[in-house]
Amino acid sequence: MQLTLNIEGKEKTFESGFVPALHYREYLKASKDMDFRRLSEDDYDTLIGLLTKSFSTQFTVDEFWNGVDVAKLDEVLAEFIYFLSGKIKDEGNEKKTE
C-alpha cells in the first residue's frame, strides 16, 4: 500500500512493504466494538496507530494526523482496512493478494 502525506509542506509517499498478519488480527480484535458509521476519537486513534505500525513507523501518528487531508481521512482508513484484509486494488478491479 502507498500513502502520501504532507510533511513539512512537502508531499511524501510511503510504502507499507511487508505487513504481518498479526496486524490484521489486532484490527479484528479492535474493530469488534467499532461503529464504522460513527467512529469515535478512540476508534480513530486505534486505526491510525495500527496504520502507522503497519508502515513500520516511517511516520508518527501526529505526522499522519497533520499530513492527511481531512476530506480524505476516512477514505485512507478504508483503503488501509481493505489492504489489511488481504485485498488490493488493481486498476479498478478487486484482486485477492497471493
Side-chain angles (χ1 to χ4, degrees):
M1 177 178 168
Q2 284 190 343
L3 175 63
T4 301
L5 299 175
N6 186 324
I7 297 179
E8 296 178 4
K10 297 180 182 178
E11 285 192 349
K12 290 181 125 181
T13 301
F14 301 92
E15 292 274 344
S16 60
F18 173 78
V19 178
L22 179 61
H23 292 190
Y24 183 60
R25 183 173 178 241
E26 291 174 14
Y27 160 74
L28 289 174
K29 185 176 181 181
S31 68
K32 285 182 183 178
D33 298 323
M34 289 183 187
D35 177 357
F36 285 92
R37 293 168 291 175
R38 300 187 94 192
L39 291 173
S40 70
E41 183 179 345
D42 288 340
D43 294 338
Y44 277 108
D45 286 343
T46 297
L47 291 172
I48 292 167
L50 187 53
L51 182 145
T52 302
K53 185 176 173 183
S54 294
F55 274 82
S56 302
T57 60
Q58 296 176 63
F59 50 87
T60 67
V61 170
D62 285 341
E63 286 174 323
F64 177 86
W65 275 114
N66 287 314
V68 70
D69 186 324
V70 69
K72 295 183 179 181
L73 175 61
D74 289 336
E75 178 185 333
V76 168
L77 291 176
E79 183 178 339
F80 171 66
I81 292 166
Y82 191 76
F83 170 78
L84 201 57
S85 68
K87 297 180 180 179
I88 58 172
K89 292 181 182 178
D90 180 32
E91 297 177 16
N93 298 317
E94 294 180 10
K95 286 189 174 182
K96 197 74 167 145
T97 57
E98 298 180 28

XYZ file of all heavy atoms in Angstrom:
803
model
N 0.851 -1.177 0.000
C 0.000 0.000 0.000
C 0.890 1.232 0.000
O 1.919 1.259 0.658
C -0.901 -0.008 1.231
C -1.778 1.199 1.372
S -2.872 1.113 2.803
C -3.421 2.802 2.821
N 0.483 2.227 -0.748
C 1.161 3.511 -0.744
C 0.305 4.537 -0.015
O -0.919 4.481 -0.070
C 1.397 4.009 -2.162
C 2.518 3.337 -2.878
C 2.844 4.053 -4.186
O 2.047 4.836 -4.693
N 4.005 3.779 -4.717
N 0.980 5.452 0.645
C 0.294 6.516 1.358
C 1.103 7.795 1.177
O 2.311 7.803 1.402
C 0.181 6.175 2.846
C -0.416 7.238 3.753
C -1.867 7.518 3.367
C -0.338 6.793 5.197
N 0.424 8.852 0.741
C 1.085 10.140 0.576
C 0.579 11.091 1.652
O -0.618 11.269 1.824
C 0.802 10.722 -0.830
O 1.275 9.797 -1.807
C 1.494 12.060 -1.009
N 1.532 11.670 2.374
C 1.226 12.627 3.436
C 1.955 13.933 3.151
O 3.018 13.941 2.522
C 1.691 12.094 4.799
C 1.067 10.801 5.286
C 1.741 10.355 6.580
C -0.426 10.966 5.487
N 1.411 15.024 3.638
C 2.045 16.323 3.541
C 2.832 16.528 4.833
O 2.251 16.749 5.891
C 0.995 17.413 3.354
C 1.606 18.766 3.105
O 2.647 19.100 3.655
N 0.950 19.548 2.275
N 4.147 16.436 4.737
C 5.008 16.574 5.920
C 5.965 17.734 5.677
O 6.689 17.748 4.678
C 5.763 15.266 6.218
C 4.750 14.161 6.546
C 6.759 15.456 7.359
C 5.346 12.811 6.836
N 5.919 18.695 6.574
C 6.746 19.894 6.493
C 6.560 20.591 5.149
O 7.522 21.051 4.525
C 8.213 19.549 6.752
C 8.452 19.018 8.151
C 9.896 18.623 8.408
O 10.756 18.833 7.527
O 10.158 18.098 9.493
N 5.314 20.645 4.683
C 4.986 21.357 3.459
C 5.289 20.620 2.164
O 5.108 21.160 1.088
N 5.764 19.385 2.271
C 6.094 18.609 1.074
C 5.354 17.281 1.105
O 5.197 16.665 2.160
C 7.595 18.343 0.994
C 8.425 19.592 0.851
C 9.883 19.267 0.766
C 10.684 20.561 0.678
N 12.114 20.295 0.636
N 4.911 16.845 -0.081
C 4.263 15.546 -0.166
C 5.317 14.446 -0.102
O 6.307 14.492 -0.839
C 3.458 15.417 -1.456
C 2.168 16.192 -1.419
C 1.237 15.837 -2.563
O 1.658 15.142 -3.501
O 0.077 16.271 -2.496
N 5.099 13.499 0.793
C 5.998 12.362 0.926
C 5.164 11.101 0.757
O 4.096 10.971 1.361
C 6.683 12.352 2.289
C 7.687 13.445 2.489
C 8.321 13.320 3.848
C 9.818 13.252 3.701
N 10.499 13.108 4.976
N 5.659 10.184 -0.050
C 4.956 8.932 -0.292
C 5.684 7.811 0.434
O 6.914 7.698 0.365
C 4.878 8.637 -1.807
O 4.191 9.720 -2.434
C 4.130 7.347 -2.068
N 4.899 6.989 1.121
C 5.425 5.875 1.900
C 4.883 4.562 1.346
O 3.763 4.499 0.858
C 5.007 6.017 3.372
C 5.474 7.296 4.006
C 4.660 8.421 4.001
C 6.715 7.379 4.594
C 5.071 9.607 4.579
C 7.151 8.564 5.178
C 6.325 9.679 5.168
N 5.691 3.517 1.443
C 5.299 2.161 1.051
C 5.216 1.314 2.309
O 6.104 1.359 3.149
C 6.347 1.543 0.117
C 6.446 2.186 -1.232
C 5.451 1.621 -2.231
O 4.887 0.534 -1.971
O 5.232 2.281 -3.252
N 4.152 0.533 2.404
C 3.997 -0.291 3.598
C 4.921 -1.495 3.597
O 5.345 -1.946 4.645
C 2.551 -0.754 3.742
O 2.175 -1.518 2.614
N 5.239 -2.048 2.429
C 6.078 -3.240 2.393
C 5.380 -4.404 3.074
O 4.154 -4.533 3.023
N 6.141 -5.242 3.741
C 5.602 -6.412 4.437
C 4.785 -5.975 5.649
O 5.250 -5.173 6.455
C 6.745 -7.319 4.887
C 6.290 -8.465 5.747
C 5.698 -9.583 5.184
C 6.447 -8.423 7.123
C 5.272 -10.636 5.974
C 6.024 -9.472 7.927
C 5.438 -10.579 7.347
N 3.578 -6.505 5.742
C 2.728 -6.237 6.901
C 2.363 -7.582 7.519
O 1.716 -8.409 6.871
C 1.446 -5.473 6.514
C 0.557 -5.261 7.723
C 1.801 -4.131 5.878
N 2.771 -7.835 8.749
C 2.474 -9.114 9.393
C 0.968 -9.342 9.550
O 0.210 -8.399 9.813
C 3.125 -9.009 10.769
C 4.042 -7.846 10.702
C 3.533 -6.947 9.619
N 0.541 -10.569 9.391
C -0.869 -10.922 9.561
C -1.347 -10.588 10.974
O -2.539 -10.365 11.184
C -1.082 -12.400 9.257
N -0.425 -10.503 11.908
C -0.778 -10.133 13.278
C -1.476 -8.774 13.317
O -2.375 -8.559 14.135
C 0.470 -10.108 14.158
C 0.258 -9.715 15.616
C -0.692 -10.701 16.300
C 1.576 -9.653 16.349
N -1.121 -7.876 12.424
C -1.770 -6.563 12.389
C -3.245 -6.710 12.013
O -4.092 -5.979 12.532
C -1.064 -5.631 11.410
C 0.313 -5.251 11.853
N 1.044 -4.283 11.239
C 1.109 -5.719 12.852
C 2.212 -4.154 11.837
N 2.272 -5.038 12.810
N -3.548 -7.643 11.135
C -4.955 -7.900 10.789
C -5.692 -8.453 11.997
O -6.818 -8.063 12.289
C -5.052 -8.861 9.608
C -6.470 -9.112 9.159
C -7.275 -8.067 8.715
C -7.016 -10.386 9.188
C -8.579 -8.280 8.300
C -8.319 -10.614 8.774
C -9.095 -9.562 8.335
O -10.389 -9.782 7.929
N -5.053 -9.333 12.724
C -5.656 -9.888 13.945
C -5.942 -8.782 14.955
O -7.000 -8.738 15.581
C -4.720 -10.937 14.542
C -5.271 -11.622 15.758
C -4.353 -12.766 16.167
N -4.865 -13.397 17.358
C -4.198 -13.460 18.498
N -2.988 -12.941 18.602
N -4.728 -14.054 19.540
N -4.988 -7.856 15.103
C -5.182 -6.722 16.013
C -6.351 -5.860 15.546
O -7.142 -5.384 16.364
C -3.903 -5.894 16.106
C -2.772 -6.615 16.819
C -1.458 -5.845 16.786
O -1.456 -4.641 16.440
O -0.421 -6.454 17.093
N -6.448 -5.669 14.230
C -7.569 -4.908 13.682
C -8.892 -5.608 13.989
O -9.854 -4.963 14.411
C -7.405 -4.711 12.168
C -8.705 -4.378 11.495
C -9.272 -3.113 11.641
C -9.403 -5.335 10.764
C -10.492 -2.818 11.063
C -10.622 -5.041 10.184
C -11.160 -3.786 10.334
O -12.376 -3.502 9.772
N -8.959 -6.925 13.773
C -10.196 -7.673 14.032
C -10.625 -7.530 15.484
O -11.805 -7.313 15.775
C -10.015 -9.148 13.682
C -9.905 -9.482 12.200
C -9.590 -10.966 12.022
C -11.172 -9.101 11.459
N -9.676 -7.644 16.375
C -9.981 -7.531 17.809
C -10.490 -6.126 18.148
O -11.500 -5.969 18.836
C -8.735 -7.853 18.629
C -8.974 -7.871 20.113
C -7.723 -8.290 20.865
C -7.988 -8.315 22.347
N -6.802 -8.695 23.113
N -9.802 -5.117 17.635
C -10.171 -3.732 17.947
C -11.493 -3.330 17.295
O -12.257 -2.552 17.863
C -9.064 -2.789 17.500
N -11.768 -3.862 16.122
C -12.943 -3.414 15.361
C -14.254 -4.016 15.853
O -15.326 -3.547 15.455
C -12.764 -3.735 13.880
O -12.786 -5.139 13.659
N -14.197 -5.003 16.729
C -15.422 -5.627 17.240
C -16.381 -4.614 17.862
O -17.587 -4.743 17.744
C -15.092 -6.714 18.269
C -14.569 -7.977 17.663
C -14.309 -9.012 18.733
C -13.717 -10.261 18.112
N -13.411 -11.270 19.121
N -15.827 -3.615 18.514
C -16.651 -2.636 19.225
C -16.798 -1.310 18.475
O -17.314 -0.348 19.022
C -16.063 -2.370 20.614
C -16.056 -3.621 21.477
O -17.006 -4.417 21.380
O -15.084 -3.805 22.233
N -16.332 -1.268 17.214
C -16.389 -0.017 16.451
C -17.671 0.068 15.633
O -18.110 -0.909 15.054
C -15.195 0.087 15.492
C -13.886 0.320 16.151
S -12.574 0.503 14.905
C -11.142 0.551 15.977
N -18.230 1.262 15.609
C -19.338 1.565 14.705
C -18.733 2.403 13.582
O -18.443 3.583 13.767
C -20.436 2.354 15.430
C -21.583 2.757 14.523
O -21.523 2.481 13.301
O -22.539 3.365 15.034
N -18.517 1.781 12.422
C -17.805 2.448 11.344
C -18.591 3.592 10.714
O -18.048 4.361 9.946
C -17.359 1.432 10.284
C -16.183 0.617 10.749
C -16.371 -0.597 11.383
C -14.901 1.091 10.590
C -15.287 -1.335 11.832
C -13.807 0.375 11.036
C -14.004 -0.853 11.661
N -19.852 3.717 11.059
C -20.636 4.868 10.585
C -20.375 6.094 11.444
O -20.607 7.221 11.020
C -22.125 4.531 10.571
C -22.475 3.466 9.519
C -23.854 2.966 9.715
N -23.826 2.201 10.974
C -24.870 1.665 11.561
N -26.052 1.809 11.050
N -24.740 0.974 12.670
N -19.929 5.860 12.680
C -19.664 6.963 13.618
C -18.446 6.611 14.465
O -18.590 6.234 15.628
C -20.869 7.186 14.524
C -22.123 7.537 13.753
C -23.219 7.899 14.675
N -23.162 9.359 14.788
C -23.816 10.052 15.682
N -24.556 9.453 16.573
N -23.740 11.360 15.701
N -17.274 6.724 13.884
C -16.059 6.399 14.619
C -15.810 7.432 15.717
O -15.974 8.628 15.499
C -14.854 6.361 13.678
C -14.816 5.203 12.680
C -13.666 5.397 11.699
C -14.696 3.869 13.391
N -15.412 6.941 16.874
C -15.077 7.825 17.993
C -13.613 8.258 17.877
O -12.842 7.723 17.072
C -15.294 7.094 19.316
O -14.315 6.074 19.472
N -13.234 9.188 18.702
C -11.842 9.628 18.747
C -10.923 8.447 19.050
O -9.867 8.295 18.428
C -11.681 10.723 19.808
C -10.294 11.296 19.893
C -10.176 12.399 20.933
O -11.204 12.924 21.399
O -9.038 12.729 21.288
N -11.327 7.602 19.991
C -10.534 6.419 20.339
C -10.432 5.451 19.163
O -9.387 4.844 18.942
C -11.122 5.699 21.555
C -10.898 6.461 22.844
O -9.990 7.322 22.898
O -11.632 6.190 23.817
N -11.529 5.303 18.404
C -11.508 4.423 17.228
C -10.497 4.928 16.204
O -9.702 4.149 15.665
C -12.890 4.336 16.579
C -13.926 3.668 17.455
O -13.555 2.904 18.373
O -15.134 3.911 17.218
N -10.538 6.237 15.942
C -9.571 6.818 15.005
C -8.148 6.607 15.506
O -7.263 6.222 14.744
C -9.831 8.312 14.782
C -10.890 8.604 13.765
C -12.139 9.084 14.150
C -10.661 8.415 12.405
C -13.125 9.371 13.206
C -11.631 8.695 11.463
C -12.864 9.163 11.869
O -13.838 9.434 10.935
N -7.922 6.845 16.786
C -6.580 6.665 17.349
C -6.111 5.222 17.197
O -4.948 4.974 16.863
C -6.555 7.081 18.820
C -6.611 8.587 19.010
O -6.343 9.327 18.037
O -6.924 9.023 20.136
N -7.001 4.275 17.415
C -6.650 2.860 17.281
C -6.289 2.527 15.838
O -5.258 1.904 15.567
C -7.820 1.965 17.744
O -8.051 2.210 19.136
C -7.521 0.495 17.526
N -7.137 2.940 14.894
C -6.894 2.641 13.483
C -5.637 3.327 12.963
O -4.828 2.714 12.252
C -8.104 3.049 12.638
C -9.360 2.204 12.836
C -10.540 2.818 12.097
C -9.126 0.765 12.374
N -5.433 4.577 13.340
C -4.256 5.303 12.870
C -2.990 4.745 13.521
O -1.945 4.655 12.875
C -4.432 6.813 13.100
C -5.541 7.318 12.167
C -3.123 7.575 12.882
C -6.044 8.701 12.473
N -3.082 4.344 14.767
C -1.945 3.694 15.415
C -1.556 2.408 14.703
O -0.370 2.131 14.485
N -2.545 1.636 14.316
C -2.287 0.386 13.598
C -1.726 0.671 12.205
O -0.806 -0.008 11.740
C -3.569 -0.442 13.512
C -3.443 -1.847 12.953
C -2.379 -2.665 13.682
C -4.790 -2.561 13.035
N -2.258 1.685 11.541
C -1.756 2.071 10.222
C -0.282 2.478 10.330
O 0.558 2.024 9.543
C -2.592 3.217 9.658
C -2.229 3.704 8.260
C -3.482 4.116 7.514
C -1.256 4.841 8.304
N 0.029 3.310 11.299
C 1.409 3.757 11.499
C 2.323 2.568 11.770
O 3.409 2.463 11.200
C 1.474 4.767 12.667
O 0.621 5.863 12.364
C 2.880 5.264 12.888
N 1.870 1.662 12.595
C 2.634 0.455 12.912
C 2.842 -0.395 11.660
O 3.917 -0.953 11.444
C 1.877 -0.335 13.984
C 2.567 -1.547 14.509
C 1.715 -2.146 15.622
C 2.235 -3.458 16.101
N 1.345 -4.046 17.127
N 1.828 -0.478 10.813
C 1.912 -1.274 9.593
C 2.852 -0.666 8.561
O 3.312 -1.350 7.655
C 0.522 -1.462 8.985
O -0.280 -2.244 9.851
N 3.126 0.621 8.694
C 4.104 1.273 7.830
C 5.467 1.328 8.522
O 6.309 2.160 8.194
C 3.635 2.679 7.448
C 2.737 2.706 6.247
C 1.387 2.439 6.375
C 3.240 2.979 4.983
C 0.542 2.455 5.277
C 2.417 2.995 3.868
C 1.065 2.729 4.013
N 5.674 0.431 9.464
C 6.954 0.310 10.178
C 7.407 1.632 10.765
O 8.589 1.974 10.725
C 8.033 -0.261 9.259
O 7.648 -1.513 8.758
N 6.446 2.382 11.282
C 6.693 3.683 11.916
C 7.585 4.591 11.067
O 8.458 5.284 11.593
C 7.247 3.541 13.345
O 8.481 2.822 13.317
C 6.269 2.829 14.261
N 7.353 4.607 9.744
C 8.066 5.534 8.856
C 7.617 6.966 9.125
O 8.292 7.923 8.721
C 7.795 5.189 7.389
C 8.312 3.834 6.963
C 7.904 3.533 5.535
O 8.309 4.236 4.610
N 7.093 2.517 5.352
N 6.464 7.104 9.773
C 5.932 8.398 10.174
C 5.215 8.197 11.498
O 4.849 7.082 11.854
C 4.985 8.975 9.111
C 3.925 8.009 8.656
C 2.718 7.900 9.331
C 4.148 7.196 7.565
C 1.750 6.994 8.918
C 3.185 6.293 7.137
C 1.984 6.190 7.816
N 5.032 9.269 12.224
C 4.381 9.178 13.527
C 2.868 9.352 13.386
O 2.375 9.786 12.335
C 4.913 10.261 14.481
O 4.507 11.537 13.986
C 6.429 10.182 14.629
N 2.166 9.056 14.452
C 0.720 9.277 14.476
C 0.425 10.762 14.253
O -0.467 11.116 13.476
C 0.114 8.774 15.811
C -1.326 9.220 15.961
C 0.228 7.259 15.913
N 1.191 11.635 14.893
C 0.991 13.076 14.716
C 1.278 13.505 13.281
O 0.570 14.351 12.727
C 1.864 13.875 15.686
C 1.326 13.829 17.104
O 0.134 13.505 17.295
O 2.105 14.125 18.029
N 2.307 12.933 12.663
C 2.604 13.264 11.269
C 1.468 12.806 10.359
O 1.136 13.483 9.387
C 3.926 12.641 10.822
C 5.133 13.331 11.401
C 6.440 12.642 11.082
O 6.478 11.390 11.053
O 7.441 13.365 10.882
N 0.850 11.673 10.688
C -0.306 11.236 9.910
C -1.441 12.240 10.061
O -1.999 12.706 9.072
C -0.782 9.839 10.331
C -2.016 9.420 9.580
C -1.916 8.809 8.346
C -3.280 9.668 10.100
C -3.057 8.449 7.632
C -4.427 9.315 9.399
C -4.310 8.705 8.162
N -1.803 12.556 11.312
C -2.901 13.496 11.561
C -2.658 14.833 10.871
O -3.578 15.434 10.315
C -3.095 13.721 13.054
C -3.947 12.720 13.752
C -3.547 11.828 14.707
C -5.356 12.503 13.591
N -4.606 11.076 15.129
C -5.737 11.469 14.464
C -6.331 13.074 12.781
C -7.037 11.004 14.568
C -7.651 12.607 12.872
C -7.983 11.585 13.758
N -1.443 15.325 10.924
C -1.118 16.624 10.329
C -0.897 16.555 8.825
O -0.945 17.582 8.146
C 0.135 17.221 10.989
C -0.140 17.709 12.384
O -1.133 18.382 12.626
N 0.733 17.366 13.307
N -0.668 15.360 8.292
C -0.309 15.225 6.892
C -1.386 14.718 5.964
O -1.231 14.755 4.749
N -2.501 14.241 6.524
C -3.580 13.734 5.682
C -4.662 14.810 5.564
O -4.970 15.503 6.534
C -4.152 12.403 6.233
C -4.930 12.607 7.516
C -4.996 11.690 5.194
N -5.198 14.940 4.377
C -6.285 15.895 4.143
C -7.540 15.383 4.837
O -7.912 14.221 4.683
C -6.527 16.016 2.635
C -7.522 17.087 2.270
O -8.501 17.298 3.022
O -7.334 17.720 1.225
N -8.200 16.224 5.602
C -9.383 15.806 6.356
C -10.454 15.219 5.436
O -11.165 14.287 5.819
C -9.951 16.960 7.219
C -10.551 18.045 6.342
C -10.968 16.439 8.216
N -10.547 15.722 4.213
C -11.542 15.212 3.272
C -11.231 13.786 2.824
O -12.112 13.096 2.319
C -11.619 16.125 2.047
N -9.986 13.343 3.043
C -9.578 12.004 2.613
C -9.325 11.055 3.787
O -8.952 9.897 3.577
C -8.318 12.089 1.759
C -8.549 12.814 0.457
C -7.299 12.815 -0.380
C -7.568 13.528 -1.704
N -6.398 13.538 -2.554
N -9.517 11.525 5.006
C -9.210 10.720 6.184
C -9.915 9.372 6.168
O -9.279 8.319 6.266
C -9.560 11.482 7.463
C -9.403 10.710 8.780
C -7.956 10.279 8.990
C -9.898 11.547 9.938
N -11.230 9.372 6.045
C -11.979 8.116 6.073
C -11.654 7.238 4.866
O -11.601 6.013 4.978
C -13.485 8.379 6.159
C -13.887 8.910 7.534
O -13.153 8.662 8.515
O -14.933 9.579 7.625
N -11.414 7.863 3.718
C -11.046 7.114 2.517
C -9.712 6.385 2.711
O -9.558 5.224 2.338
C -10.952 8.072 1.325
C -10.536 7.423 0.033
C -10.353 8.442 -1.084
O -11.006 9.509 -1.051
O -9.550 8.163 -1.983
N -8.740 7.068 3.299
C -7.430 6.475 3.555
C -7.565 5.306 4.529
O -6.979 4.239 4.319
C -6.432 7.528 4.097
C -5.174 6.877 4.633
C -6.102 8.540 3.008
N -8.347 5.495 5.585
C -8.528 4.416 6.553
C -9.257 3.224 5.939
O -8.911 2.076 6.202
C -9.258 4.926 7.796
C -8.443 5.884 8.662
C -9.283 6.403 9.815
C -7.168 5.222 9.168
N -10.255 3.491 5.098
C -10.978 2.402 4.428
C -10.037 1.631 3.504
O -10.071 0.395 3.462
C -12.163 2.954 3.649
N -9.198 2.355 2.775
C -8.231 1.693 1.891
C -7.255 0.848 2.704
O -6.895 -0.254 2.310
C -7.466 2.729 1.073
C -6.511 2.111 0.082
C -5.792 3.142 -0.762
O -6.270 4.280 -0.880
O -4.727 2.784 -1.303
N -6.838 1.360 3.854
C -5.934 0.608 4.729
C -6.594 -0.673 5.217
O -5.984 -1.747 5.185
C -5.491 1.475 5.913
C -4.746 0.712 6.970
C -3.508 0.157 6.688
C -5.301 0.539 8.224
C -2.822 -0.572 7.662
C -4.617 -0.173 9.202
C -3.369 -0.735 8.919
N -7.832 -0.597 5.648
C -8.549 -1.785 6.128
C -8.715 -2.787 4.992
O -8.526 -3.994 5.181
C -9.908 -1.394 6.743
C -9.683 -0.601 8.031
C -10.778 -2.621 6.994
C -10.910 0.127 8.541
N -9.043 -2.296 3.820
C -9.175 -3.136 2.635
C -7.851 -3.831 2.347
O -7.795 -5.035 2.101
C -9.600 -2.247 1.461
C -10.031 -2.967 0.222
C -11.278 -3.581 0.147
C -9.223 -3.002 -0.902
C -11.694 -4.223 -0.995
C -9.629 -3.636 -2.061
C -10.861 -4.248 -2.105
O -11.277 -4.876 -3.242
N -6.755 -3.088 2.392
C -5.419 -3.638 2.186
C -5.081 -4.668 3.261
O -4.578 -5.754 2.972
C -4.386 -2.506 2.200
C -2.968 -2.978 2.231
C -2.352 -3.449 1.076
C -2.252 -2.954 3.410
C -1.037 -3.886 1.103
C -0.938 -3.387 3.445
C -0.322 -3.863 2.291
N -5.377 -4.340 4.498
C -5.058 -5.204 5.623
C -5.791 -6.535 5.544
O -5.278 -7.557 5.985
C -5.416 -4.479 6.926
C -4.757 -4.926 8.209
C -3.250 -4.865 8.100
C -5.235 -4.063 9.356
N -6.974 -6.521 4.956
C -7.754 -7.752 4.864
C -7.259 -8.665 3.747
O -7.833 -9.723 3.518
C -9.236 -7.433 4.656
O -9.443 -6.862 3.386
N -6.192 -8.256 3.073
C -5.585 -9.120 2.075
C -6.034 -8.858 0.660
O -5.802 -9.659 -0.233
N -6.671 -7.731 0.426
C -7.122 -7.394 -0.916
C -6.367 -6.173 -1.400
O -5.944 -5.336 -0.610
C -8.620 -7.099 -0.924
C -9.455 -8.282 -0.527
C -10.908 -7.927 -0.549
C -11.748 -9.130 -0.156
N -13.165 -8.811 -0.138
N -6.187 -6.087 -2.700
C -5.547 -4.914 -3.286
C -6.416 -4.402 -4.418
O -7.246 -5.129 -4.951
C -4.136 -5.234 -3.832
C -4.198 -6.352 -4.882
C -3.187 -5.577 -2.716
C -2.897 -6.600 -5.597
N -6.224 -3.155 -4.769
C -6.926 -2.589 -5.906
C -5.985 -2.623 -7.100
O -4.830 -2.233 -6.992
C -7.348 -1.144 -5.624
C -8.408 -1.035 -4.568
C -8.783 0.414 -4.369
C -9.809 0.544 -3.263
N -10.151 1.932 -3.008
N -6.481 -3.074 -8.222
C -5.680 -3.124 -9.436
C -6.487 -2.537 -10.577
O -7.350 -3.197 -11.134
C -5.267 -4.560 -9.737
C -4.423 -4.672 -10.989
O -3.676 -3.734 -11.298
O -4.504 -5.719 -11.659
N -6.217 -1.271 -10.898
C -6.887 -0.580 -11.982
C -8.411 -0.721 -11.910
O -9.075 -1.048 -12.886
C -6.368 -1.075 -13.326
C -4.888 -0.782 -13.512
C -4.335 -1.328 -14.814
O -5.141 -1.653 -15.702
O -3.116 -1.420 -14.925
N -8.957 -0.521 -10.732
C -10.400 -0.549 -10.574
C -10.981 -1.928 -10.350
O -12.167 -2.065 -10.074
N -10.181 -2.954 -10.458
C -10.669 -4.316 -10.227
C -10.180 -4.814 -8.881
O -9.082 -4.486 -8.463
C -10.152 -5.266 -11.323
C -10.640 -4.871 -12.690
O -11.796 -4.522 -12.861
N -9.747 -4.895 -13.665
N -10.995 -5.603 -8.241
C -10.580 -6.173 -6.964
C -9.814 -7.463 -7.232
O -10.183 -8.255 -8.057
C -11.789 -6.488 -6.094
C -12.541 -5.275 -5.663
C -13.745 -5.619 -4.801
O -13.867 -6.780 -4.401
O -14.561 -4.736 -4.575
N -8.720 -7.633 -6.501
C -7.948 -8.864 -6.596
C -7.549 -9.280 -5.197
O -7.253 -8.445 -4.350
C -6.676 -8.664 -7.424
C -6.929 -8.551 -8.901
C -5.609 -8.590 -9.616
C -5.834 -8.639 -11.112
N -4.580 -8.733 -11.845
N -7.519 -10.543 -4.963
C -7.051 -11.088 -3.713
C -5.523 -11.176 -3.800
O -4.989 -11.569 -4.820
C -7.667 -12.465 -3.509
C -7.616 -12.987 -2.112
C -8.594 -12.292 -1.222
C -8.688 -13.088 0.059
N -8.880 -12.311 1.211
N -4.808 -10.765 -2.745
C -3.359 -10.904 -2.767
C -3.015 -12.372 -2.664
O -3.773 -13.183 -2.138
C -2.696 -10.124 -1.608
O -3.230 -10.582 -0.388
C -2.889 -8.640 -1.772
N -1.857 -12.690 -3.189
C -1.411 -14.098 -3.150
C -0.249 -14.262 -2.227
O 0.487 -13.417 -1.965
C -1.048 -14.551 -4.563
C -2.261 -14.477 -5.461
C -1.957 -14.913 -6.883
O -1.045 -15.729 -7.059
O -2.619 -14.428 -7.780
